[in-house]
Amino acid sequence: MRRIGEVTAVEGEWLEVTFCRPSDCEKCHACMGGDKTTTIRVKGKASVGDQALVELPASTVMKASFVAYVLPLVALIVCIFIATRLFPQQADVAGAIGALLGLGGSALLLVATEKKRRSNPKWASQLVDIIHREQGDDNNGNCNESK
């Protein structure tokens, strides 16, 4: 998955790149609006206002989707199954408690392992190219501009 964003800050070898939300996001509203800011490691020089081409490999997107969506769902189902088998006389209550334990446990696991994933370069977006701002370019990363 490749995206182009605007370099909004430069701090040493790190760039802060701001991306406009894709047009598909207008239908969802899950992130409550606003821009998405991602900090990436620079393999070259860039200036504020330059455009950065950033890539997250498809395999990484699939792994992240699995961790974020499939793992909690599997934990939910497994914990419901175990709880209802351990307490069949109160299966409804046991299933509800199992569901809470499954989702809560998977959320705790995700939070506990987040730091490790963030520090692993395989999970990070990679800078592919810098498109230097032209002197006469007045786009300034306007997200509302039609393409």
Side-chain angles (χ1 to χ4, degrees):
M1 179 166 77
R2 287 186 172 199
R3 299 277 317 274
I4 295 178
E6 181 181 357
V7 177
T8 54
V10 178
E11 294 180 20
E13 62 180 8
W14 292 92
L15 295 179
E16 184 177 279
V17 181
T18 301
F19 298 94
C20 298
R21 292 183 304 148
S23 59
D24 292 346
C25 291
E26 294 172 10
K27 302 170 193 159
C28 174
H29 304 290
C31 65
M32 304 299 176
D35 292 337
K36 172 72 175 157
T37 302
T38 304
T39 304
I40 59 173
R41 185 172 291 278
V42 176
K43 293 184 181 176
K45 289 193 170 204
S47 301
V48 173
D50 288 346
Q51 301 293 307
L53 178 60
V54 178
E55 178 180 48
L56 188 61
S59 63
T60 303
V61 173
M62 293 300 291
K63 288 175 190 174
S65 297
F66 177 83
V67 167
Y69 298 109
V70 177
L71 181 66
L73 180 62
V74 168
L76 170 86
I77 293 169
V78 167
C79 287
I80 289 173
F81 179 78
I82 291 171
T84 56
R85 294 299 178 249
L86 288 176
F87 304 101
Q89 64 280 11
Q90 298 170 337
D92 292 343
V93 174
I97 292 171
L100 291 173
L101 289 174
L103 287 178
S106 64
L108 288 174
L109 179 65
L110 291 175
V111 169
T113 59
E114 177 66 18
K115 187 175 182 180
K116 184 177 179 181
R117 280 192 305 278
R118 282 184 183 260
S119 64
N120 186 340
K122 292 180 181 179
W123 288 87
S125 298
Q126 302 295 319
L127 180 65
V128 175
D129 195 14
I130 295 290
I131 304 162
H132 295 287
R133 178 180 53 181
E134 299 296 328
Q135 291 292 348
D137 187 8
D138 61 352
N139 182 13
N140 294 328
N142 186 352
C143 293
N144 298 323
E145 190 171 295
S146 59
K147 296 181 180 175

